Amino acid sequence: MTNQELQARKTQVIARGQGNLYPVYIERGENAELWDVDGNRYIDFATGIAVCNTGHSHPKVVAAVKQQLDKFSHTCVMVNPYESAIELAEKLTQAAPGNSEKKAIFVTTGAEAVENCVKIARAHTGRRGVIAFNGGFHGRTNLAMALTGKITPYKNLFGPFPGDIFHAPFPIESHGISIEESLRALDTLFKVDIASTDVAAIIVEPVQGEGGFYPAPAEFLRALRERCDEHGIVLIADEIQTGFGRTGKMFSFEHADVEPDLITMAKGIAGGFPIAAVVGKSQIMDAPLPGGLGGTYGGSPVACTAALSVLEIIDQENLIARANQLGQLFNERLTLLQNQFPEVIHDVRNQGAMIALELGKSATQFIPNPELTQSLIAKAAEHGLILLACGFYGNVIRFLPALTMTDAIANEGLDKFERLFSQLSS
Ligand code: PMP
């Protein structure tokens, strides 16, 4: 079967809501490279949306998973648990930022981790309100979608939304939103829409992911911590895209030296196996009653085993330091490209290996360029690249290389990107 034939079959049987960015059907992946059913090779700058931080099919993850499958595949951690789940909870509570005593729960996807944070925060505080930020992304399930701060394509057609969800502006200096303005809006929210004493939680991504790879300034995260402490609000860090070494720290909140109360973990946790977690301060995590949290597949033994081996690889292969090296390599090369095309490259930025190229239409003012962004994505596969876009304005190319990517592959991929960019921009 060819890519074309498979895409024709797909559109017949999979609803358009679950779209695919590329009509490229993968046959094989190895570290940072992919091969499709037509025999084409790609350099992967997407890692399945920040999931395969340890590359595709890392031999150690594959071996650990095979070994687990020979023993058993599922018992449900809420019926008959197993040591790998305990060991993973021990390691994650240890790895989470801050010194407070922590506990974990396991679920299956990022959105589910977000939903559970809200349940836990509400149970702990006995309050109803949750505040999220404009441009934030927290998932596609009902409550997570309501927290997401962007209508198209995530929310239109899907109302009514759950109540008691509020949004405040996220500080992005280049979009004209200062930290002060964002904090003032939060304080106004407490005056206009919901009393601070009714707010259970504030949820924030330390670097907005789908929203455009905008890092939350450290000063802003510290100010959120202060407000949460002042008003008895639970601070939730959504580290689903930023976690597991991606930003050059194990978790991005470490850059600001802030300890959140609850942390969502998913994506990079297990090299592609569906597992997610909430890790947080024990006295908050223990608020729900036994049986109030969890699910059939949460903490699957296969995924727990994969996650344990991912943690080992991050440590043994120094992937946190590698994220910073890769970030620097990408930033330097993309900055050279910016010097060549100052009128369309508005900004190059990175936090570790979460790297963004923001496209505009003027060298002197911020005018988003979603059209150029879309044409780069549309042509990427023809150039042997898997690339993703993001951004509140749809004008950001995001680079999420595997942290195990070699310099040679990174440079080859960037050569391809430069050729593609020059073709479309001159
Ligand atoms: N939060 C953030 C910050 C994310 O980046 C994502 C996924 N892009 C989610 C939540 C939702 O995760 P999932 O798709 O696994 O439900």
Side-chain angles (χ1 to χ4, degrees):
M1 281 270 152
T2 63
N3 283 322
Q4 209 181 359
E5 287 163 345
L6 286 168
Q7 184 65 11
R9 271 172 68 189
K10 189 243 171 185
T11 42
Q12 287 296 313
V13 290
I14 296 184
R16 64 178 183 168
Q18 195 165 36
N20 56 318
L21 196 56
Y22 296 103
V24 167
Y25 287 74
I26 297 305
E27 191 158 77
R28 191 167 70 84
E30 194 182 316
N31 196 7
E33 295 164 89
L34 292 168
W35 287 265
D36 72 11
V37 291
D38 292 344
N40 301 307
R41 167 182 174 262
Y42 303 89
I43 289 178
D44 186 9
F45 282 163
T47 47
I49 323 188
V51 169
C52 298
N53 289 2
T54 50
H56 293 286
S57 298
H58 192 292
K60 285 186 179 156
V61 177
V62 173
V65 163
K66 280 184 177 162
Q67 213 176 32
Q68 176 59 42
L69 279 172
D70 283 339
K71 295 185 199 158
F72 62 96
S73 59
H74 177 80
T75 54
C76 184
V77 81
M78 299 178 79
V79 179
N80 294 112
Y82 24 84
E83 188 174 348
S84 57
I86 315 296
E87 193 183 338
L88 183 58
E90 286 165 353
K91 296 234 156 93
L92 295 179
T93 49
Q94 204 63 47
N99 296 324
S100 309
E101 198 182 295
K102 296 193 177 65
K103 288 192 178 184
I105 60 152
F106 294 117
V107 288
T108 315
T109 64
E112 215 186 330
V114 168
E115 301 244 348
N116 278 280
C117 282
V118 173
K119 285 170 63 174
I120 295 165
R122 283 180 170 160
H124 171 72
T125 57
R127 302 173 178 184
R128 59 189 170 88
V130 185
I131 299 171
F133 291 92
N134 298 353
F137 184 86
H138 301 290
R140 290 181 173 84
T141 55
N142 207 34
L143 180 55
M145 167 184 66
L147 292 167
T148 290
K150 190 179 176 193
I151 296 291
T152 306
Y154 308 122
K155 295 168 92 158
N156 42 1
L157 308 180
F158 298 135
F161 302 108
D164 298 315
I165 306 282
F166 305 90
H167 288 92
F170 187 80
I172 302 170
E173 206 69 56
S174 68
H175 296 183
I177 305 166
S178 66
I179 298 174
E180 296 69 38
E181 204 177 324
S182 180
L183 292 172
R184 207 173 324 119
L186 199 59
D187 293 336
T188 305
L189 206 64
F190 294 149
K191 284 203 174 73
V192 174
D193 287 315
I194 184 162
S196 62
T197 47
D198 281 333
V199 177
I202 295 179
I203 183 165
V204 64
E205 294 163 272
V207 181
Q208 283 199 334
E210 306 303 305
F213 280 24
Y214 300 108
E219 187 192 331
F220 177 67
L221 293 180
R222 285 197 283 267
L224 288 184
R225 180 67 278 175
E226 279 166 24
R227 271 171 180 70
C228 285
D229 288 342
E230 187 189 339
H231 300 296
I233 297 170
V234 172
L235 180 60
I236 304 171
D238 187 343
E239 292 258 13
I240 288 168
Q241 193 155 162
T242 47
F244 298 94
R246 171 57 57 190
T247 69
K249 297 270 186 196
M250 191 62 173
F251 294 99
S252 176
F253 258 67
E254 292 168 46
H255 288 286
D257 204 15
V258 168
E259 180 175 8
D261 298 309
L262 301 176
I263 306 165
T264 59
M265 304 181 184
K267 289 191 186 277
I269 188 172
F273 290 84
I275 181 169
V278 177
V279 173
K281 294 179 181 168
S282 298
Q283 97 268 18
I284 301 177
M285 291 294 292
D286 271 334
L289 300 174
L293 305 174
T296 306
Y297 293 112
S300 138
V302 180
C304 282
T305 309
L308 285 170
S309 96
V310 162
L311 289 175
E312 212 175 276
I313 296 163
I314 291 175
D315 185 39
Q316 286 172 352
E317 299 187 16
N318 282 320
L319 293 187
I320 296 178
R322 182 65 188 150
N324 286 314
Q325 285 167 1
L326 278 167
Q328 197 178 341
L329 185 157
F330 274 73
N331 195 316
E332 279 168 12
R333 288 207 49 179
L334 293 171
T335 302
L336 291 176
L337 195 66
Q338 184 184 28
N339 296 340
Q340 240 180 301
F341 298 97
E343 64 295 340
V344 283
I345 301 187
H346 175 71
D347 191 27
V348 175
R349 57 179 172 269
N350 72 295
Q351 192 179 84
M354 206 167 171
I355 307 137
L357 186 75
E358 179 152 11
L359 302 175
K361 292 180 180 172
S362 156
T364 51
Q365 48 176 320
F366 174 64
I367 307 171
N369 194 341
E371 299 85 5
L372 177 58
T373 312
Q374 271 320 306
S375 31
L376 286 164
I377 297 294
K379 291 272 175 217
E382 285 170 33
H383 285 251
L385 278 182
I386 303 297
L387 265 190
L388 297 173
C390 61
F392 190 69
Y393 298 106
N395 68 323
V396 178
I397 297 287
R398 56 173 149 171
F399 298 86
L400 289 161
L403 307 182
T404 46
M405 183 180 269
T406 60
D407 279 5
I409 293 283
N411 280 313
E412 186 189 343
L414 285 162
D415 289 344
K416 288 176 191 287
F417 182 73
E418 281 173 14
R419 276 195 296 276
L420 165 67
F421 197 90
S422 306
Q423 244 178 44
L424 292 175
S425 310
S426 13

